[in-house]
Amino acid sequence: MENSRSKHWKLATRLIQAGRSHEPGAPLNPNITLSTGFSAGGDFGYSRNNQPNWVATQSALGELENAEALLFSSGMASFNTVIELLPLGSKVVAGDVGYSGIDKRLKELAAQNRINLTLVPTANQGAMINAAKDAALVWLDTPTNPTMRIWDIRAISAATSGLTAVDNTLAGSLHQAPLDLGADISMHSATKQLSGHSDLLAGALLTRNPDLLTKLTEIRTLTGAVLSAFDSYLLLRGMRTLQLRQERASANALDLAERLSSHSKIAKVWHLGLKTHPDFQLASAQMCGVGSVFSIEIKGDAQAAEKVSEATKLWSHSTSLGGVESQLERRRRWANEPIGVPENLIRLSVGIEDVEDLWQDLDQALMQS
Ligand SMILES: Cc1ncc(COP(=O)(O)O)c(C=O)c1O
């Protein structure tokens, strides 16, 4: 496999080149290798340990954050792999609002005494720094899904003697580099922006620490939460256009957030690019762009927010985020959503459609609440 990093190309170019071979006669895209076993003596043995499609896709992922990357069968599988690093009863610290699946799993693990969990009020940097000091793992969901608050990655990573892992799904690698800020692990639900077309589940862990990489690889092999060759191929295909998609979706998101700020039916807009956001300064210092996901609180209760979600014709009323199509949902419609998420909050994942079409559809839906 070519080492595209050594060529000093810009990221857009490296993303297009990663995992490609320039050998005479080589296919432009890696073939989908379905074999589970490989003849002895070569680079591959058994496809739960390693396989050619992972190598290509992991090399593209590594380009994004200048790290080594490992693929998993979902974002949740990558999170659970980080937990497996910890001895029984280890102290884990996280915010009291974050992605609901991880929040629920952390609480389950604590109930089983697998971990000793401390949940800190979200965006309280001082309390997090204090709690982090003797933690074995600090798990930072920043920007928090779906309330869009910020954790200070640099200050918190510096405060702990344990590991700091950042869920980088919402920001995306183009906007936030947790490993540059001192984190040990950057995690992604590659189901979202990285793949970008809402048609596969995948997860990724990125690290620059060779010992951690070895341990995480071993856990993946033994727990078996591996990605199929086909999904690995599709993910790489999606990543080729990551930068273009993200630029367009982020510009659409900021445009809509600005318009929504003065909408008669809106109580609050939680977009980190707005100067009115309480974490605007920290986000500007820590991120270079804020991505395509933001949240709104509408004037009214849960029912009014449901009505808006159901009234759109272009925006898809569905869960998940990061696809080329715009999606929205009231997050508290899910029983597992942390109670710190307001009942009237709607999360918007902005796609790459024409922004005027998106605005008109959202406006007519809001006017029905
Ligand atoms: C911020 C965040 N982290 C992790 C996950 C879990 O990822 P997956 O659904 O790929 O398991 C999600 C899924 O919505 C998410 O939004």
Side-chain angles (χ1 to χ4, degrees), residues 74-77 99 102 141 145 167 169-170 187-192 201-203 320-321 331 347:
S74 67
M76 286 307 293
Y99 168 60
I102 289 177
D141 186 4
N145 181 4
D167 187 333
T169 304
L170 249 65
M187 172 263 170
H188 289 267
S189 166
T191 314
K192 318 295 188 211
L201 277 174
S320 202
L321 55 97
R331 285 298 291 173
R347 187 185 66 196

Side-chain angles (χ1 to χ4, degrees), residues 38-226:
F38 300 83
S39 297
D43 289 343
F44 302 100
Y46 184 54
S47 66
R48 181 159 39 77
N49 301 35
N50 198 8
Q51 76 93 255
N53 290 100
W54 297 355
V55 174
T57 309
Q58 286 173 170
S59 106
L61 280 163
E63 296 289 349
L64 285 170
E65 297 188 28
N66 191 20
E68 296 299 325
L70 287 176
L71 282 170
F72 294 84
S73 53
S74 67
M76 286 307 293
S78 45
F79 162 76
N80 281 298
T81 300
V82 175
I83 294 290
E84 285 302 309
L85 289 168
L86 306 174
L88 194 68
S90 297
K91 178 173 177 184
V92 176
V93 178
D96 65 351
V97 173
Y99 168 60
S100 56
I102 289 177
D103 181 73
K104 184 172 186 208
R105 183 74 184 131
L106 283 170
K107 287 170 182 162
E108 264 176 18
L109 291 163
Q112 296 158 8
N113 295 324
R114 169 69 182 83
I115 60 169
N116 170 7
L117 180 64
T118 301
L119 292 178
V120 177
T122 290
N124 185 334
Q125 314 297 337
M128 180 58 93
I129 286 169
N130 247 341
K133 282 181 187 147
D134 60 347
L137 172 69
V138 182
W139 185 268
L140 299 179
D141 186 4
T142 182
T144 53
N145 181 4
T147 51
M148 306 307 295
R149 300 302 304 266
I150 294 285
W151 287 114
D152 185 336
I153 300 173
R154 193 187 294 279
I156 297 163
S157 308
T160 183
S161 53
L163 294 174
T164 305
V166 174
D167 187 333
N168 208 19
T169 304
L170 249 65
S173 310
L174 302 178
H175 299 135
Q176 183 165 269
L179 305 179
D180 287 351
L181 297 168
D184 303 284
I185 298 171
S186 171
M187 172 263 170
H188 289 267
S189 166
T191 314
K192 318 295 188 211
Q193 284 97 341
L194 286 170
S195 55
H197 296 76
S198 310
D199 56 4
L200 65 91
L201 277 174
L205 295 177
L206 292 97
T207 184
R208 294 177 187 159
N209 178 325
D211 291 340
L212 265 182
L213 183 73
T214 304
K215 285 183 193 153
L216 292 165
T217 308
E218 273 171 17
I219 296 168
R220 181 181 65 174
T221 299
L222 295 177
T223 56
V226 295

